[in-house]
Amino acid sequence: LSMKSFSRRTFLSGIGGSILALPWMESLAAGPSQSVAQRLAFYYVPIGVVRRTFFPGEENGITPLFNRDNFTADETKTNLTKGEHPLELTATMKPLERLKEKVSLITGLDRTFQPGTDVHAQCASCFLSSASPFSVKHSPYPQARTLDHVVAEKIGGRTPFKTLEFSCNSHKDNKESIQFDNISWYGTEYVAPSMRDPLLAYRRLFKSDERSAYRNITDLVLEDARSLKRDLGREDQDKFAEYFDSIRTIERQLTRLEGLKDELSKVDLDVPMDGKLPRGEYIRLMGDLMVVALQSGLTNVATFMVGPERWDTPYLFESLFDKPRSHHQMSHNQKKFIEDLIKVDHFHMEQFAYLLEKMDGIQEANGKTLLDNTLFTYGSGLGDGATHQYSALPIVTAGSGGGKFKTGRHFNLSEQSGLTPKVGGKYVAPEGGVPLANLWLTQARALGLKMDRFADSTGELGLLRA
């Protein structure tokens, strides 16, 4: 192959049907300039957050009491002035410190709950669709085609995978329906199946068939790689080595986790085997696979679900507790488990920060990083897990979509609309609140989609640079 025949999505092929995608490298550029792909990604956290350590101004808020159908609580006002503010990181957001200037906190976004279906199932399965209540006639859920698939029609057409769905729920006990366990949907009741086993995800991404299943994919392509490396400039040689090292690291992590599974399968456990696997290690490994897929152009659109809603099967949060714990069960007794829940929130934010820092270390053709060229959203379908509150959702955006979005800010939309944020109320969000779909509409338009409305949106948010 001549150098001009290479592109960002060049593949190195080895024996046994394995192929390895390459990231962009200047030495392999097909022409004088290379356009950089736009990316969209989502990091979904189940069961909401502890508000007092996540939201500015709620540090002294009450601990809400769980009541399944209705609840009351005092309102908590923020001390912020109207509008847009410099970002001040709360206790839960502290892991984002090193990338503070590349993230923004958005408060005051609501979803409206449609009565008649389970609150946890609806908040997960409808998070990225936000259809208006009762607008979908042939389903009990206000669920429609999700934003990732809508956007992928615009920015994902030339990638091997239009979208990729990652989930960190490895349990196979199927305690709940698929509504609790998926945020990505092709359409109403048509789920986009997510990858949950790191080894199977690895084989899917790099197309390793059975003949090479027990051999490192990097070994299979190393001979071609050495030949190619001689033609690279110094900086690209370093980038090439860094990329291959990241793949090898993933392979080593896969070997370790598979070994752990083998050992645990021989033990009589009081919880499912996967509940004993180190939670952070598993999340980071799945995250590494997602980052590599975005980096190498395998996909431009990805969803990442940290865990399922209302799934009482426990997980081992290895740096927090000695034994596996159920996030959902703790959330229903905040008075007893408040400190433990705060630790879990911080833990989930640490994993998000890990992915952001990894993406920010990857340079791309336009001089920006992979993170800079991505719109990456952290969020949950509940504002508080104890109260099943659908208003004032926890939303953090990272990256600027190639410089389009403002970063390093706190956008308090409740202040801008003259509403008082609530830490109480019924399932239905306050009338006149700012729909979560307004954020999705803003992101879609920033990525080049010409649409007047998305789901129950009422307009674009003021998040874009002038």
Side-chain angles (χ1 to χ4, degrees), residues 43 45 49 54 345 348-349 352 376-380 394-397:
Y43 180 95
V45 176
V49 295
F54 188 96
D345 289 348
H348 285 151
M349 190 63 74
F352 182 59
F376 196 1
T377 304
Y378 163 111
S380 182
I395 302 291
V396 175
T397 57

Side-chain angles (χ1 to χ4, degrees), residues 265-282:
S265 66
K266 303 172 186 176
V267 181
D268 185 18
L269 301 173
D270 56 345
V271 297
M273 178 188 69
D274 289 340
K276 294 281 191 177
L277 293 175
R279 190 81 183 126
E281 186 174 344
Y282 175 36

Side-chain angles (χ1 to χ4, degrees), residues 277-282 284 316-322 347:
L277 293 175
R279 190 81 183 126
E281 186 174 344
Y282 175 36
R284 290 189 297 274
L316 177 61
F317 297 92
E318 70 271 25
S319 60
L320 307 183
F321 316 117
D322 294 333
F347 177 88

Side-chain angles (χ1 to χ4, degrees), residues 153-195:
E153 293 298 327
K154 174 72 176 180
I155 69 172
R158 299 182 62 186
T159 59
F161 302 98
K162 274 194 175 182
T163 65
L164 284 173
E165 295 77 30
F166 297 85
S167 170
C168 296
N169 180 20
S170 57
H171 287 313
K172 300 176 178 65
D173 51 355
N174 297 324
K175 294 188 66 173
E176 306 287 2
S177 75
I178 61 173
Q179 309 289 342
F180 293 78
D181 200 22
N182 292 276
I183 60 170
S184 180
W185 299 78
Y186 296 121
T188 303
E189 297 184 348
Y190 289 94
V191 69
S194 53
M195 296 183 289

Side-chain angles (χ1 to χ4, degrees), residues 61-77:
I62 65 168
T63 299
L65 297 173
F66 173 76
N67 186 313
R68 182 169 184 80
D69 297 315
N70 192 10
F71 61 88
T72 58
D74 294 335
E75 292 182 349
T76 301
K77 296 183 179 180

Side-chain angles (χ1 to χ4, degrees), residues 74 108 118 143 153-154 156 162 207 224 233 343 359 368 406 417:
D74 294 335
D118 185 271
Q143 176 196 86
E153 293 298 327
K154 174 72 176 180
K162 274 194 175 182
K207 297 186 179 179
D224 286 345
K343 290 178 183 178
M359 293 170 69
K368 299 179 185 295
K406 300 175 185 177
S417 60

Side-chain angles (χ1 to χ4, degrees), residues 232-286:
L232 299 178
R234 172 65 63 180
E235 288 188 6
D236 281 345
Q237 286 190 27
D238 292 341
K239 184 181 294 186
F240 187 92
E242 181 181 60
Y243 177 69
F244 258 59
D245 184 62
S246 71
I247 300 295
R248 285 226 186 260
T249 299
I250 288 173
E251 290 173 341
R252 287 193 293 269
Q253 290 171 322
L254 283 169
T255 300
R256 169 177 153 70
L257 280 183
E258 289 303 304
L260 276 175
K261 286 182 180 180
D262 288 342
E263 291 300 314
L264 290 170
S265 66
K266 303 172 186 176
V267 181
D268 185 18
L269 301 173
D270 56 345
V271 297
M273 178 188 69
D274 289 340
K276 294 281 191 177
L277 293 175
R279 190 81 183 126
E281 186 174 344
Y282 175 36
I283 293 172
R284 290 189 297 274
L285 177 53
M286 293 299 286

